[in-house]
Amino acid sequence: MKHLLLRPVIVVSLLTALTGCWFSERVEEFSGPTMGSTYTVKYVRSEGLPSPERLQFEVAAILDEVDVQMSTYRDDSIIEQFNRAPAGTCQVMPAGLLQLVDAGFVLHEQSAGALDLTLEPLLNLWGFGPKSRAEKVPTAEELAQVMVHVGMQHLRRQNDQLCKQADVQVDFNSIAAGYAVDKIVQRFTALGVVSYMVEVTGELKAAGKKPDGQPWRIGLEAPQDGQRVAQRVLAVDGYGISTSGDYRNYFEEQGKRYSHTLDPLTGAPITHTLAAVTVVDKSTLRADGMSTVLMVMGTERGLIFAQRMGIAAFFVTHEGDAFVTQTTQAFEQLFAAGDEQ
């Protein structure tokens, strides 16, 4: 499943003191391609756990299932079959896909429409979607024609079926990677893995301690062109982390910059000064979706919303040629003793 919304890379600090550690306390690592990007898994191997080969097989199976069910970049995926179906039809869906639909409805309602799973025609129109031809600014007429086919109100969940009342197309790229991370973590927990860092296209979750007794440390990247600098380093145990940003994925036309993040209410790219936002949550799926929500809202509206909802969020905003950072109370409560850089 190719991942449309390219995330700012989360720098992961994984310095592990392996000298003197027994076999039962070493960090294993494997990685591979997925969703048009990559995944990385690191975990503490101890006696009684499945082999690294078995765990890699389990991860690959989950990622393959997500791809088959939810990818908008393959014509034979389940969601693409639904997207091609005419208005007024219903289709039986697997439980995982319906979980994403349900999450999308919740985030859509909570955010007053800032997250919408039916944006694919708009993404294609602006040049960011799976069926895009070129990045370009559409005419007002083109935009109006596409907006008719956008809106969560056109979707309906009916038991194990997903129904469409209009010719809408569903795109899960705002939450699918977070869902995949949570699925992998659930499988690891069932297999007895208690210390891990699982990352899929930049969305990640970490828990437990490394062999040297230290927590997994996650670096939040500063939005600096041509460089990757950890702006703040977090000690993470049992939380998912997602970062959304517009400083890498955009195009320019006639001197104006157009972000890949679209506002579902206007059908156009965001125009505010928020460069990136990181959300921390027990659910990586929710962190993934909420980072998109806050990116759409912008710093001022996003901070108010995040404070009201108790969301742990870290905002990075353009201010002239520099960047300023702001955090919510929930974020500071989680990382009051966090390392600063």
Side-chain angles (χ1 to χ4, degrees):
M1 175 177 179
K2 190 171 180 182
H3 198 281
L4 171 66
L5 299 178
L6 298 178
R7 306 289 185 172
V9 176
I10 297 179
V11 181
V12 182
S13 175
L14 297 169
L15 302 177
T16 306
L18 296 178
T19 305
C21 290
W22 295 99
F23 165 81
S24 62
E25 293 184 334
R26 73 171 182 237
V27 173
E28 296 281 357
E29 174 184 357
F30 55 86
S31 60
T34 188
M35 301 184 189
S37 185
T38 60
Y39 77 89
T40 300
V41 171
K42 296 177 186 281
Y43 71 98
V44 176
R45 186 180 181 189
S46 58
E47 293 185 32
L49 289 184
S51 68
E53 293 78 16
R54 165 72 186 285
L55 290 179
Q56 188 165 11
F57 173 83
E58 296 283 349
V59 170
I62 291 171
L63 294 174
D64 286 346
E65 180 181 77
V66 170
D67 191 56
V68 168
Q69 292 183 8
M70 305 162 193
S71 174
T72 53
Y73 286 82
R74 51 184 296 174
D75 291 337
D76 62 341
S77 71
I78 293 175
I79 198 59
E80 276 301 286
Q81 294 174 36
F82 177 81
N83 287 344
R84 289 194 300 271
T89 59
C90 297
Q91 183 175 328
V92 175
M93 294 293 184
L97 193 148
L98 290 174
Q99 182 183 343
L100 284 187
V101 170
D102 291 342
F105 276 122
V106 171
L107 289 164
H108 178 79
E109 182 177 356
Q110 289 179 340
S111 66
L115 183 137
D116 195 303
L117 297 181
T118 67
L119 289 186
E120 185 175 321
L122 277 173
L123 293 166
N124 290 331
L125 181 65
W126 283 93
F128 297 115
K131 299 175 181 62
S132 304
R133 294 184 179 179
E135 294 173 339
K136 65 181 181 67
V137 179
T139 65
E141 291 76 16
E142 290 173 330
L143 187 58
Q145 290 173 359
V146 170
M147 285 293 284
V148 175
H149 304 290
V150 173
M152 293 285 286
Q153 72 272 14
H154 301 306
L155 288 179
R156 178 170 52 89
R157 164 86 181 271
Q158 184 174 299
N159 298 322
D160 62 347
Q161 293 184 318
L162 183 62
C163 304
K164 58 198 301 187
Q165 297 168 313
D167 186 20
V168 295
Q169 299 174 46
V170 177
D171 188 307
F172 291 118
N173 282 314
S174 58
I175 52 177
Y179 165 82
V181 170
D182 286 341
K183 287 284 288 185
I184 293 169
V185 166
Q186 289 168 10
R187 186 62 181 142
F188 271 26
T189 300
L191 293 171
V193 180
V194 296
S195 181
Y196 53 80
M197 193 287 299
V198 175
E199 175 266 327
V200 177
T201 74
E203 320 308 320
L204 65 84
K205 189 169 190 176
K209 304 292 185 182
K210 293 182 289 183
D212 60 2
Q214 295 298 310
W216 303 95
R217 297 187 184 278
I218 311 302
L220 303 185
E221 185 185 272
Q224 299 179 16
D225 293 335
Q227 302 181 58
R228 289 182 177 175
V229 180
Q231 190 170 52
R232 182 162 176 173
V233 179
L234 310 177
V236 179
D237 187 1
Y239 285 88
I241 297 181
S242 173
T243 297
S244 290
D246 77 336
Y247 59 93
R248 283 214 179 106
N249 195 12
Y250 61 90
F251 73 89
E252 294 185 358
E253 185 172 302
Q254 297 182 345
K256 186 174 180 179
R257 175 170 164 159
Y258 295 90
S259 168
H260 77 286
T261 302
L262 303 183
D263 185 337
L265 301 180
T266 65
I270 57 175
T271 57
H272 51 66
T273 58
L274 180 59
V277 61
T278 296
V279 172
V280 182
D281 196 277
K282 287 286 188 180
S283 163
T284 319
L285 187 163
R286 181 169 169 80
D288 198 358
M290 274 299 178
S291 68
T292 298
V293 165
L294 298 180
M295 195 68 215
V296 168
M297 289 182 172
T299 305
E300 184 176 354
R301 189 157 64 103
L303 266 171
I304 294 172
F305 174 78
Q307 294 281 28
R308 177 168 58 85
M309 296 291 292
I311 299 167
F314 179 87
F315 294 78
V316 182
T317 307
H318 293 280
E319 190 171 283
D321 295 329
F323 295 96
V324 296
T325 63
Q326 294 170 274
T327 59
T328 61
Q329 183 178 3
F331 186 93
E332 290 304 327
Q333 287 174 341
L334 279 178
F335 302 110
D339 298 332
E340 298 282 355
Q341 285 194 357

